[in-house]
Amino acid sequence: MTKSRTSLMLIVLSATLVASLSVGLLQESEAAKGQGVGLPAIGSDKVCGDRLCSESASNYYSPEEASVQTTSETSECKSNEGKTRTYYIAADEVEWDYAPLGINQMKGQEFNEDENVFVENSSDRIGSTYIKALYREYTDDTFSKLKPRSSEWEHLGTLGPMIHAEVCDTIKVVFKNNSEELDYSVHPHGVFYDKDSEGAEYNDGTSASSKSDGIVSPGQTHTYEWKVPERAGPGPNDPSSIIWMYHSHVDSPMDTNSGLVGPMVVTAKGMADSNGRPMDVDREMVSLFTVSDENSSHYLCDNLERFTDETCDNEELVGDDDFAESNLMHGINGYVYGNQPGQTLNKGEHVRWYLIGMGTEVDLHTPHWHGNTVLWNGMRVDVLELMPASLKTVDFIPDNVGTWMFHCHVNDHISAGMMSLFKVI
């Protein structure tokens, strides 16, 4: 056999093999496209080996619920379908303590020298307490009475109130800027909005009447309306609810470093209770991982004047690297070194844990649950990756009783206090 014929046969065999593999892969791809790679039904035989099989979590997906969820992904919202859910939210200027317990709760000890870099107050160090602007919920449009935050949401810390909605709902946020001097806004992720409810002003070619949403002056009020269409709800690989967020976007870096960030959860059509919450879930948790750069907050000079003997007139201090380092608060929901409250879970319950990342190029975070595992996008993990403005939703059945660490696994962030505790009882 000549070399040319041998080469020709090899080419034909290779082409046949490639074609065969392509057909097989195409068939698998089409099958996967039809069903997605969804979250296995909690308590099903398929995941019994990974789940806590001796005890059952409540509110499993029933076949009827699974059918509703699948149908909701393909149906369109009809006119006037869904509820209008109204929230009264203000930007309030408050004093916030990143370490209210006054100790390193991870160790149950007083702060050591390295930890005091971030939390000790002195004549030229602000310490753990800062003036911040936070979103807070009120009972009505008079903004005269704060809506109490229940123990269930105590763990939210600096995060704004949880906004819940179901696909086909409308979210209405009546926002008041209670700042004394600064402009703020509310900009949402994921939902549908017209230009007058975007909460961000830029050169978009719209008229002045459509820009009142982007800059809300001190003492002023603006009403935002956001539709919740199918594309704002869970996708084929998502569980019954997913996390979005909202934040101020007048000067987004400074606004968010000052504290104006909040969570928003959208539940699939037909899978929400009367409050818009996923009805197949026993408990929801939210964690914001970010290095709050208080040097880039609107309130740095106010904080210096209130908590130290210095002012921003001391340019040498403000430009000092060690001073700048002391104001980088490596927190989870605005708490450092295990000072976060409210993270007690029951063994065997169905927990949906929402993760939010914010910040800048140093904000590459890897949340890690000790002693337990979670499901993300159908995969079993105990560590996830978060980048600035990334949003992830996981499902969690706690099966290991005890007090456990929940922290960022980046070494520098561990040292700087990006750690908390959760308890399974």
Side-chain angles (χ1 to χ4, degrees):
M1 187 180 291
T2 65
K3 185 180 294 186
S4 60
R5 288 181 62 193
T6 302
S7 300
L8 180 60
M9 288 182 66
L10 287 173
I11 291 171
V12 171
L13 285 170
S14 299
T16 302
L17 180 60
V18 168
S20 176
L21 287 172
S22 298
V23 170
L25 289 172
L26 180 60
Q27 290 171 339
E28 290 184 16
S29 174
E30 289 302 314
K33 192 184 298 181
Q35 349 181 45
V37 187
L39 178 70
I42 294 172
S44 70
D45 291 338
K46 289 184 180 179
V47 294
C48 188
D50 266 341
R51 293 290 191 189
L52 179 65
C53 301
S54 59
E55 297 184 31
S56 61
S58 61
N59 297 327
Y60 295 150
Y61 281 115
S62 67
E64 292 80 12
E65 289 171 336
S67 174
V68 168
Q69 187 183 29
T70 302
T71 303
S72 74
E73 290 166 0
T74 56
S75 62
E76 294 295 330
C77 297
K78 299 175 179 138
S79 178
N80 298 320
E81 185 177 5
K83 298 181 178 180
T84 296
R85 302 183 188 273
T86 304
Y87 295 83
Y88 303 98
I89 299 175
D92 290 342
E93 294 172 333
V94 301
E95 288 187 8
W96 180 259
D97 192 346
Y98 286 90
L101 299 175
I103 63 170
N104 183 335
Q105 184 69 358
M106 305 302 299
K107 300 176 180 177
Q109 299 174 358
E110 293 185 359
F111 295 112
N112 63 31
E113 183 178 354
D114 291 336
E115 295 156 358
N116 271 326
V117 166
F118 303 99
V119 297
E120 185 175 41
N121 173 248
S122 67
S123 62
D124 62 355
R125 293 293 186 269
I126 296 168
S128 66
T129 301
Y130 290 79
I131 301 168
K132 299 187 73 65
L134 304 181
Y135 288 126
R136 300 201 293 178
E137 187 173 7
Y138 285 76
T139 57
D140 56 39
D141 61 3
T142 66
F143 292 93
S144 58
K145 184 179 179 182
L146 276 171
K147 186 173 182 178
R149 178 170 277 182
S150 67
S151 58
E152 177 186 13
W153 300 114
E154 183 184 18
H155 72 282
L156 289 180
T158 56
L159 283 169
M162 172 70 88
I163 292 177
H164 278 104
E166 182 180 7
V167 167
C168 294
D169 283 346
T170 298
I171 299 168
K172 182 183 288 188
V173 173
V174 182
F175 171 66
K176 184 177 181 183
N177 182 3
N178 280 334
S179 169
E180 294 184 4
E181 299 179 353
L182 297 163
D183 299 326
Y184 287 126
S185 70
V186 186
H187 167 68
H189 286 223
V191 291
F192 183 93
Y193 45 80
D194 292 326
K195 295 301 291 186
D196 62 357
S197 284
E198 183 179 6
E201 180 175 338
Y202 52 97
N203 185 23
D204 59 0
T206 58
S207 64
S209 62
S210 294
K211 292 184 179 295
S212 60
D213 61 304
I215 295 180
V216 182
S217 302
Q220 298 301 303
T221 301
H222 183 85
T223 299
Y224 299 89
E225 286 198 13
W226 308 325
K227 299 293 184 184
V228 187
E230 298 285 339
R231 56 91 155 162
N237 288 357
D238 287 317
S240 62
S241 62
I242 55 173
I243 183 70
W244 298 107
M245 68 172 169
Y246 57 94
H247 61 88
S248 181
H249 212 304
V250 177
D251 182 336
S252 185
M254 295 194 77
D255 294 357
T256 54
N257 276 314
S258 297
L260 290 174
V261 181
M264 178 168 55
V265 167
V266 173
T267 300
K269 189 171 159 187
M271 290 300 295
D273 65 16
S274 59
N275 296 312
R277 300 179 60 166
M279 60 187 178
D280 61 312
V281 170
D282 298 312
R283 185 187 301 268
E284 295 174 287
M285 302 290 292
V286 187
S287 296
L288 166 67
F289 283 76
T290 188
V291 181
S292 297
D293 185 355
E294 296 290 349
N295 304 288
S296 296
S297 161
H298 290 292
Y299 303 100
L300 175 63
C301 295
D302 296 310
N303 284 315
L304 269 173
E305 291 181 15
R306 181 169 300 188
F307 300 113
T308 75
D309 297 334
E310 300 290 346
T311 70
C312 278
D313 292 335
N314 187 340
E315 296 180 3
E316 184 178 353
L317 174 66
V318 174
D320 179 68
D321 289 343
D322 290 337
F323 173 75
E325 177 73 12
S326 74
N327 294 318
L328 298 178
M329 306 307 289
H330 297 63
I332 304 172
N333 293 0
Y335 293 102
V336 297
Y337 295 110
N339 275 246
Q340 184 179 8
Q343 297 195 127
T344 299
L345 314 173
N346 295 314
K347 178 182 177 181
E349 70 179 343
H350 182 182
V351 180
R352 184 150 294 154
W353 206 306
Y354 306 108
L355 302 170
I356 303 174
M358 284 298 283
T360 187
E361 72 276 2
V362 301
D363 282 280
L364 190 160
H365 303 299
T366 49
H368 170 44
W369 293 264
H370 279 217
N372 294 265
T373 63
V374 301
L375 276 177
W376 176 70
N377 198 28
M379 297 182 289
R380 180 72 60 182
V381 298
D382 68 356
V383 177
L384 278 176
E385 302 80 34
L386 280 177
M387 296 288 283
S390 61
L391 304 156
K392 291 186 176 175
T393 301
V394 304
D395 273 306
F396 178 25
I397 304 291
D399 64 355
N400 202 349
V401 171
T403 298
W404 303 102
M405 183 183 293
F406 177 54
H407 66 103
C408 178
H409 224 300
V410 175
N411 289 342
D412 182 62
H413 299 173
I414 294 172
S415 300
M418 194 172 277
M419 301 179 284
S420 69
L421 296 169
F422 72 96
K423 183 182 291 187
V424 179
I425 59 176

